Amino acid sequence: MSRSSLCIYPRLYTLHFTLSINGKNQWEWVFQNEQVCFHIIRPSRGGDVITEVMAEHQPEVWVSDLFSAQKTNPATAWQVCLAHQLRDCQYGIDAGDHIFSGRMKKLLLRALVLRRRWSDLADSTRYQYRCRLFRDLDSILSLLPTQEDGLRLQKRYLELRENLFLFLDDPTIPPTNNSSEQALRWSLIFRKVTNGFRSDWGRDLFAAVRSIVNTGKRQGFSAFESILIALNPLKSLLALG
């Protein structure tokens, strides 16, 4: 599976976490959507990794956390992962912000509940719910928090207002990048068991195998079938029609 395969599909969900390579920290990135999953491990967690993978290609939608490199994504639209935002709001609540964080968390939870009901609602009802959601968002953003975490979150969401609820405009956009965390689950287990890699070639082999297995799973193949297909020059894991 080539990296250019990622660019066939319009939506990408990304995430990265730390691994040890020969005693030095590197980061495993995952770029994935409903059809493709690509793992890459690099000594950088900067935007250069995104450039290496995406080259000149531009996906329609990018779903990610708020790490600085993710903010420079090349997509035309960016959906912020609400799972990460819920955790940050809870941190603000626990830190003592009684004005902003709790209200923002309730609003995000309401948006996620609406997402689950979205397909059962009439278009007119969806419109009313969406308008009310943004009215409530604007009301929350106009609050005057005094605690530093509440102030920090308020500043964040003032900048990200248009990136919070894209999934209500398009049901194919997920509200979180939890699927990326699921794609990294075996990597987390591997890190706990082995404590990392001793060579770059081991790192790259592991990333290639995870890419093949996770992509094959999205196409309905077992891990063994995925590897066999990847080794066959006459077959492809991607059902392109």
Side-chain angles (χ1 to χ4, degrees):
M1 184 184 68
S2 67
R3 295 176 196 174
S4 61
S5 302
L6 284 166
C7 307
I8 297 169
Y9 304 104
R11 289 164 177 76
L12 285 174
Y13 327 137
T14 70
L15 196 67
H16 60 272
F17 83 109
T18 310
L19 281 166
S20 175
I21 314 294
N22 200 20
K24 296 182 179 179
N25 283 342
Q26 295 195 24
W27 286 267
E28 179 174 351
W29 294 67
V30 59
F31 297 76
Q32 57 94 28
N33 59 19
E34 293 85 355
Q35 291 83 21
V36 176
C37 184
F38 180 70
H39 294 249
I40 184 171
I41 304 173
R42 289 293 182 266
S44 169
R45 53 178 176 175
D48 56 312
V49 180
I50 296 176
T51 301
E52 178 186 354
V53 173
M54 300 304 299
E56 300 300 322
H57 299 280
Q58 183 181 44
E60 290 180 5
V61 180
W62 195 272
V63 185
S64 71
D65 56 28
L66 291 179
F67 192 77
S68 57
Q70 303 284 13
K71 296 180 180 180
T72 62
N73 70 77
T76 55
W78 177 34
Q79 169 63 55
V80 172
C81 173
L82 293 197
H84 286 81
Q85 304 317 304
L86 287 171
R87 289 196 286 267
D88 287 350
C89 286
Q90 184 60 52
Y91 179 87
I93 295 169
D94 295 340
D97 172 35
H98 303 298
I99 297 176
F100 183 85
S101 299
R103 291 175 176 83
M104 191 68 198
K105 180 180 178 180
K106 288 180 181 179
L107 185 73
L108 296 178
L109 287 172
R110 194 203 321 162
L112 292 174
V113 171
L114 282 175
R115 168 57 184 261
R116 290 197 291 268
R117 299 177 53 199
W118 213 239
S119 60
D120 299 325
L121 300 176
D123 289 342
S124 59
T125 305
R126 292 179 184 177
Y127 176 77
Q128 293 174 6
Y129 275 131
R130 191 182 183 283
C131 290
R132 180 183 174 186
L133 196 70
F134 274 97
R135 285 198 302 269
D136 292 345
L137 174 61
D138 290 337
S139 177
I140 293 171
L141 291 176
S142 68
L143 294 172
L144 300 174
T146 56
Q147 198 266 352
E148 60 179 351
D149 294 287
L151 289 167
R152 173 178 56 82
L153 289 174
Q154 182 189 47
K155 180 180 178 182
R156 171 191 297 181
Y157 297 128
L158 282 169
E159 296 174 354
L160 297 174
R161 181 184 182 278
E162 303 304 320
N163 305 104
L164 292 174
F165 304 129
L166 290 180
F167 61 91
L168 295 180
D169 296 326
D170 184 344
T172 64
I173 300 175
T176 73
N177 65 346
N178 287 345
S179 56
S180 296
E181 294 193 5
Q182 294 167 4
L184 287 171
R185 186 170 299 162
W186 281 106
S187 299
L188 290 168
I189 295 173
F190 182 88
R191 181 179 66 178
K192 290 180 180 179
V193 173
T194 66
N195 201 32
F197 301 91
R198 293 184 175 85
S199 64
D200 286 346
W201 73 263
R203 169 201 74 180
D204 294 339
L205 176 62
F206 177 83
V209 171
R210 294 312 311 158
S211 299
I212 291 168
V213 171
N214 281 335
T215 297
K217 184 177 180 180
R218 285 160 169 74
Q219 307 300 326
F221 300 118
S222 68
F224 182 68
E225 290 171 331
S226 300
I227 293 172
L228 285 181
I229 293 171
L231 293 174
N232 189 331
L234 301 179
K235 293 184 177 181
S236 172
L237 284 171
L238 303 179
L240 303 181

